[in-house]
Amino acid sequence: MQREEVIKLIRSRLHIVSQETATINKLKDFFREHSEIYLLYTGYRISPHQSLYLLFKSLDPSKNIFSEDLEIFSLYIAPYNEGREPGILIISPKEDLIKVSRLISSLILTGHRGVLLSPEVPTELKSFLGGSFQNIIVSEDFFTLTSIYLLLRAGLYYISSKQTTPRISRLLREIDELSDVIDDLCNKYSQEIDHIIKILSRNSPKIDLVFTPSTRVFSEDLFEYVSKYRRDIDLNIIPHNYTSSLYRENSTVIIVYTEAEQQMILDTRKRYLFEKRPYIEIILRTDPVITPLYIGLLSRYLIHQLMNSQTTKKT
């Protein structure tokens, strides 16, 4: 698959999900019905939850919204909030649905209501869904990016129904026109993406990837690629505030952040500049609350290009 075909595939997927008005309306209704919401995650993929959490904290701080591990919530919180049950939103990829099946029944028994976003519904879950818990099926292909898109778009439409500001209006325009900027986005960062592909194409490269709250999805996508296809890559995923303790010598450093988050990675950049160590930067000049979509598009483009390079090598 050539570069143009990859971009066409991503644009096509984005166009399809942008037409899912019933899903977006269902999420809007959920936000409206609950004054307190818990976003529950499983495993390492928490970028959809974090994206929605930051959106509400930034644009609608009156909404009581929390992010927590599903198992911790089920064992330590759910049994003790009788009479004041929050709305529950669970986003679960396919590999975590066994755990969700085990825990969601206890949430229903303790009077909790909510929504499950997942790529499928296991047989053991079907009897629990449709009453207290509604299910939204999200295609397994591009699951994380699609989930982020649906959550942010529904969140923005819900918030805009309560208040209108220039920033909210601008973000709504951006998300509505997202498929139109994919070509420009990939072209703008083509040099950085090509550099990363070159590094990762080496035998057993050693990579330190530093991310910020808005760019977490990039690290998750790369981690998934390495776990499935390139176990020889020594990938170290580093949150922006942990760089001192996780510093490694002789590694290639990749730093992904927005211009608004420069202060977060200032010490990291200073260290590498002082030591004259080479590093790759992807700096997005986008609003942090919608950045997960832009960086998610870039990471999907990167992963598809890496898969293409692997296929080319084999042939």
Side-chain angles (χ1 to χ4, degrees):
M1 188 181 294
Q2 298 301 313
R3 175 184 178 280
E4 292 76 16
E5 293 175 305
V6 172
I7 293 175
K8 185 178 180 181
L9 171 66
I10 296 172
R11 187 190 298 111
S12 172
R13 181 59 200 149
L14 199 59
H15 175 73
I16 291 170
V17 73
S18 70
Q19 305 303 307
E20 296 183 14
T21 53
T23 296
I24 292 169
N25 287 334
K26 186 180 288 189
L27 288 168
K28 281 170 55 183
D29 291 342
F30 171 77
F31 298 146
R32 187 177 62 251
E33 291 166 5
H34 298 280
S35 59
E36 182 175 315
I37 295 172
Y38 267 82
L39 311 174
L40 303 182
Y41 56 85
T42 58
Y44 69 93
R45 280 200 172 273
I46 69 172
S47 54
H49 309 73
Q50 190 169 57
S51 300
L52 186 62
Y53 175 84
L54 292 174
L55 179 80
F56 273 106
K57 289 299 181 184
S58 180
L59 298 177
D60 188 12
S62 63
K63 176 73 74 177
N64 293 318
I65 192 160
F66 307 91
S67 183
E68 187 57 83
D69 174 80
L70 171 61
E71 204 157 29
I72 289 177
F73 181 84
S74 299
L75 296 176
Y76 295 99
I77 302 173
Y80 310 106
N81 60 8
E82 185 178 353
R84 47 186 179 84
E85 295 87 355
I88 303 298
L89 178 57
I90 304 172
I91 303 104
S92 176
K94 183 177 180 180
E95 62 267 21
D96 293 330
L97 282 173
I98 293 176
K99 179 185 286 188
V100 173
S101 300
R102 179 165 50 85
L103 295 172
I104 202 168
S105 59
S106 65
L107 292 178
I108 293 172
L109 288 173
T110 52
H112 292 83
R113 299 168 54 242
V115 174
L116 168 66
L117 267 73
S118 62
E120 62 180 44
V121 182
T123 304
E124 56 268 31
L125 254 180
K126 288 181 180 178
S127 60
F128 296 114
L129 299 175
S132 299
F133 265 80
Q134 301 298 311
N135 184 226
I136 294 176
I137 298 294
V138 179
S139 172
E140 188 176 357
D141 184 33
F142 289 32
F143 176 77
T144 301
L145 180 61
T146 301
S147 297
I148 292 173
Y149 179 90
L150 291 171
L151 291 169
L152 290 185
R153 189 170 191 182
L156 278 168
Y157 276 114
Y158 163 76
I159 294 169
S160 68
S161 69
K162 297 172 59 182
Q163 57 173 313
T164 302
T165 67
R167 185 186 181 199
I168 292 172
S169 298
R170 173 174 52 79
L171 291 172
L172 278 170
R173 285 196 304 273
E174 284 190 44
I175 204 167
D176 286 341
E177 299 169 0
L178 195 61
S179 61
D180 297 332
V181 304
I182 295 175
D183 282 286
D184 290 340
L185 184 70
C186 294
N187 285 329
K188 183 174 182 178
Y189 295 97
S190 60
Q191 186 174 347
E192 291 87 345
I193 295 296
D194 289 345
H195 194 179
I196 292 172
I197 292 172
K198 183 178 179 181
I199 297 295
L200 294 178
S201 298
R202 298 172 182 169
N203 291 327
S204 303
K206 188 177 181 180
I207 307 296
D208 285 342
L209 174 59
V210 180
F211 67 91
T212 59
S214 72
T215 62
R216 183 184 182 96
V217 63
F218 191 91
S219 69
E220 293 175 349
D221 282 346
L222 193 55
F223 176 81
E224 182 178 48
Y225 167 77
V226 169
S227 300
K228 288 183 176 179
Y229 307 108
R230 288 289 309 278
R231 290 296 186 92
D232 64 301
I233 296 177
D234 183 3
L235 177 64
N236 193 24
I237 303 293
I238 311 175
H240 73 279
N241 52 340
Y242 285 0
T243 52
S244 297
S245 59
L246 298 179
Y247 170 76
R248 301 191 303 175
E249 294 184 357
N250 303 318
S251 64
T252 298
V253 179
I254 303 171
I255 311 174
V256 189
Y257 62 100
T258 66
E259 197 169 52
E261 295 169 323
Q262 281 188 352
Q263 194 67 29
M264 288 183 171
I265 50 84
L266 190 60
D267 292 338
T268 301
R269 295 181 74 248
K270 281 182 178 178
R271 177 196 300 145
Y272 296 138
L273 287 170
F274 176 76
E275 296 176 359
K276 297 181 179 178
R277 287 187 63 190
Y279 61 89
I280 304 170
E281 280 187 319
I282 296 181
I283 311 171
L284 287 90
R285 292 168 177 83
T286 50
D287 192 306
V289 301
I290 204 172
T291 292
L293 282 174
Y294 290 105
I295 198 64
L297 289 169
L298 272 182
S299 65
R300 294 317 310 170
Y301 173 69
L302 168 65
I303 300 306
H304 275 78
Q305 292 293 75
L306 286 169
M307 298 293 290
N308 289 343
S309 64
Q310 268 192 285
T311 304
T312 304
K313 276 187 177 181
K314 289 178 181 178
T315 55

